[in-house]
Amino acid sequence: MKDLHDLFRQSLAGLRVLVVATLLLGLAYPLAVTGFAAVAAPWRSEGSLVTADGSRTTDPDQAVGSELLGQSVTDETLFQPRPSAAGDGYDPLSSYGSNLGPESPELLAAITERQAVVAEREGVEVADVPPDAVTASGSGLDPDISVAYAELQAPRVAAANDLPEDEVDALVVAHTEGRTLGVLGEPRVNVLLLNVAVREAAGRG
Amino acid sequence: MSELLPALGQVAVLVLLLALTVPLLGRHLARTYTSESHTRLERGAYRALRLDPDADQHWRTYALSVLGFSLVGLLVLYALGRLQHLLPLSLGFDGLPADGAWNTAVSFVTNTNWQWYSGEAALGHLVQMTGLTVQNFVSAAVGMAVAAAFARGLARTHGAGRVGNFWVDVVRGVLRVLLPIAVVGAVVLVLLGVVQNLAAPRLLETLSGGSQSLTGGPVASQEVIKQLGTNGGGFYNANSAHPFENPTPLTNILAIFLMLLVPFAMAWAFGHIVKDRRQGVAVLSVMAILLVVSVTLLTWAEMAGPGSAPALAGGALEGKETRFGTAGSALFGAATTGTSTGAVNSTHDSFTAPGGGVALFNMMLGEIAPGGVGSGLYGMLMLAVLTVFLSGLMVGRTPEYLGKKIGQREIVLVAAYVLATPVVLLTALAVAVTAPAGVAGLQESGPHGFSEALYAVTSASNNNGSAFGGLTSGTPFWNTLLGLCMLLGRFVPIIAVLALAGRFSSQRPLPPGPGTLSTHRPLFVVLLTGVALVVVGLTYVPVLTLGPIVESLS
């Protein structure tokens, strides 16, 4: 009984602490960070949006996407992103991976099918299709592809846009981001920024 | 080879960051939990809250404070979840169902952050901030407080069962440690591209004419404490794989650093609190050894990519982000399961079989490599007491740790601590794989399906919160079961820890004799590492055999 009474007393003290904690940590802290973000990094804090000509904006109505988020590319003349397991593909309202295990028959079938599709689309052998082209990312919103996958797609994109292959290759190189500090992460190509640049070069911007 | 160098390089960056900061923060933590003076701000807070900051609590009162505070947190969070449709900034989302609200309330109060829901499709900004962000801070502060109480219990010479003041520990843990680091961290994350706004989801037209939702929110402010407090609950469903939470390799290494910072620093602080820094270094060494081994194994598994799907695709990239690659995902995976964080930057369900097995084993260790904030230290110290006891048995001397005798009552408490989690975990697993409602949640059949269930109950019982995401856990059955796992897995061990702290605090320390096992030498580090591995091995080998081991061999 005494313990129960004590527990009740401690819970009341806990409630008082929690109320103050909520005001400080649940309102003051996140709102202060939001205020700082709006002043110091308005573009980034709003989601790193870019327009059709590649310039930065904070207005979603002007934007064609976020530099940080992958998006479905239905336009066959452009670079294609990785497969996505988020909703029907690149849906930020249901970000996630497939969660299929390494021996999953479903995953094996999906990889085989994607390899065939990519090989046919790019006119290459199945063995030349890089792994990121046939696997879904963890978020389903991966903005990047590997350098190998970008290089694989360059001839098709060049042909479809009436651009010299050299020029598209140069765009891929220009949009390749190396490892940070030489060791962090992987070399990669941002698909949205690359596609914006391709459209600019082709005079479609 | 060209892949191996960056993999080693990112570890070097991490080690450098930790080596520079852990001793500093460790000393600061020791001062925080032993200093007798209060800042002016704290004095004002204690007055307003009608708390007596100079009351030295008996361990029972301390434990009741922990329970009372957590109980209130649970009730408030449950109410916030149920009533969110009535609150501002709810983005039009409904209140959570009863079983879901229960699961989430337990999850965040116990520092687990298991998430059955998808953040961007279930929770409004107000609940994320006032419910989840708040518990991210205070549940971490509670863990640190319990560890500090245990360290003080060991350090005291005639404490008569008293272990300190819980409210002071929580207030200081937040004001002097977590909040200052979180503010700096949030600022850095914002500058590196993490989203921070209060906008509702908006549609934008994509480059090829489709539409895509833009899901903003106060992400950076939550992200930093999610890692720093080893909480792990993502703002978005994809957690740290989501580019808005973890946009670059730089934010990725920062996230890993933040997860490991406080757990290692707590071990360093322990040395200061017991006035023998070598003791802290010994404990820290065991944590580091276990972490290095798991990072090595997990990185090897993911980079080598054994298994049918990685072999077919040409690499284990299913569930991994291009910007992090296999090495950046493996390092994160080892850190998140070695601490009690449970954030993921890649889907563990799609890890290779040995990789997923390492993640599981890390959690089964009780998360002591280096463990959660606070829980890692007290978990390791309980094993240290057990190690001393076992060594004492071998040579036939009365065992003692830091001059405190380990008698029958003490070892019973250690046994209760060590057994509590496996009992909860294995019972829950048995229920889950026999009940139709449990099996219904599994995505895959056979050993991988068993691993999904095993991973879920292990994650919940050890307060980790990461998942083999194939499991559909948002059902009344799984929500209720995992809620119970999280609750028992958190508070039963905490009560054992505090009871032992109380007993140690009443003991007068014995001067070390010629037969005393010194607990700061390499021999002890090896023994403690061995005990940690053997205890877990003996407990979990049967279930590991049925899951990841069978899968690796098939």
Side-chain angles (χ1 to χ4, degrees), chain B residues 123-412:
Chain B
L123 290 185
H125 297 333
L126 194 77
V127 174
Q128 294 263 25
M129 292 194 300
T130 60
L132 306 190
T133 303
V134 171
Q135 282 302 332
N136 275 349
F137 275 99
V138 296
S139 69
V142 168
M144 291 158 69
V146 171
F150 190 77
R152 286 189 302 245
L154 272 169
R156 288 187 176 185
T157 48
H158 21 60
R162 297 182 184 278
V163 293
N165 187 305
F166 172 73
W167 305 110
V168 170
D169 287 344
V170 166
V171 168
R172 287 186 184 176
V174 169
L175 289 183
R176 297 192 189 182
V177 182
L178 297 174
L179 187 56
I181 303 177
V183 168
V184 175
V187 163
V188 172
L189 289 186
V190 162
L191 296 176
L192 291 177
V194 177
V195 167
Q196 178 81 21
N197 59 57
L198 295 175
R202 290 158 294 175
L203 278 180
L204 54 77
E205 196 179 323
T206 63
L207 196 61
S208 45
S211 71
Q212 190 177 37
S213 303
L214 182 68
T215 50
V219 181
S221 53
Q222 184 164 330
E223 184 66 16
V224 60
I225 187 63
K226 159 188 139 186
Q227 315 290 10
L228 178 66
T230 63
N231 293 284
F235 193 93
Y236 300 106
N237 196 36
N239 208 300
S240 286
H242 198 298
F244 278 177
E245 285 198 35
N246 193 2
T248 68
L250 210 50
T251 56
N252 194 50
I253 199 81
L254 269 179
I256 298 170
F257 163 69
L258 284 172
M259 283 187 237
L260 298 170
L261 175 62
V262 175
F264 275 127
M266 285 297 290
W268 193 275
F270 169 68
H272 281 277
I273 294 176
V274 299
K275 302 205 168 53
D276 182 356
R277 298 222 321 250
R278 298 169 309 179
Q279 305 291 341
V281 172
V283 168
L284 194 150
S285 308
V286 180
M287 292 173 165
I289 290 170
L290 291 170
L291 182 64
V292 166
V293 171
S294 65
V295 166
T296 309
L297 288 176
L298 194 54
T299 307
W300 164 78
E302 295 311 303
M303 287 180 74
S308 307
L312 182 62
L317 282 182
E318 182 70 24
K320 294 191 180 68
E321 301 286 300
T322 308
R323 61 193 180 283
F324 308 138
T326 45
S329 301
L331 183 61
F332 194 107
T336 194
T337 52
T339 62
S340 79
T341 311
V344 293
N345 80 345
S346 50
T347 56
H348 291 189
D349 208 345
S350 300
F351 272 8
T352 62
V358 171
L360 252 174
F361 193 82
N362 262 349
M363 295 193 293
M364 288 171 170
L365 276 173
E367 293 166 343
I368 47 170
V373 290
S375 61
L377 176 62
Y378 65 66
M380 190 58 95
L381 292 178
M382 293 305 259
L383 289 179
V385 174
L386 181 63
T387 305
V388 170
F389 179 77
L390 293 175
S391 315
L393 286 186
M394 285 189 259
V395 295
R397 285 180 195 275
T398 308
E400 64 205 50
Y401 185 56
L402 303 179
K404 304 289 179 147
K405 247 192 350 222
I406 301 159
Q408 187 201 352
R409 299 279 285 279
E410 285 80 10
I411 203 65
V412 165

Side-chain angles (χ1 to χ4, degrees), chain A residues 31-67:
Chain A
L31 294 180
V33 175
T34 308
F36 166 82
V39 174
W43 177 68
R44 293 181 192 285
S45 63
E46 289 295 331
S48 307
L49 303 177
V50 291
T51 65
D53 63 11
S55 56
R56 297 176 167 189
T57 178
T58 53
D59 180 2
D61 293 332
Q62 307 277 321
V64 293
S66 162
E67 189 180 301

Side-chain angles (χ1 to χ4, degrees), chain B residues 32-50:
Chain B
T32 298
Y33 290 114
T34 51
S35 149
E36 309 218 326
S37 58
H38 312 287
T39 65
R40 186 172 302 188
L41 177 69
E42 289 165 0
R43 262 182 215 294
Y46 299 134
R47 247 199 316 278
L49 294 165
R50 284 184 288 130

Side-chain angles (χ1 to χ4, degrees), chain A residues 16 29 95 98 103 136 142, chain B residues 49 120 221 308 318-320 322:
Chain A
R16 298 196 295 272
Y29 158 70
S95 64
S98 71
E103 304 299 327
D142 196 337
Chain B
L49 294 165
E120 61 265 37
S221 53
S308 307
E318 182 70 24
K320 294 191 180 68
T322 308

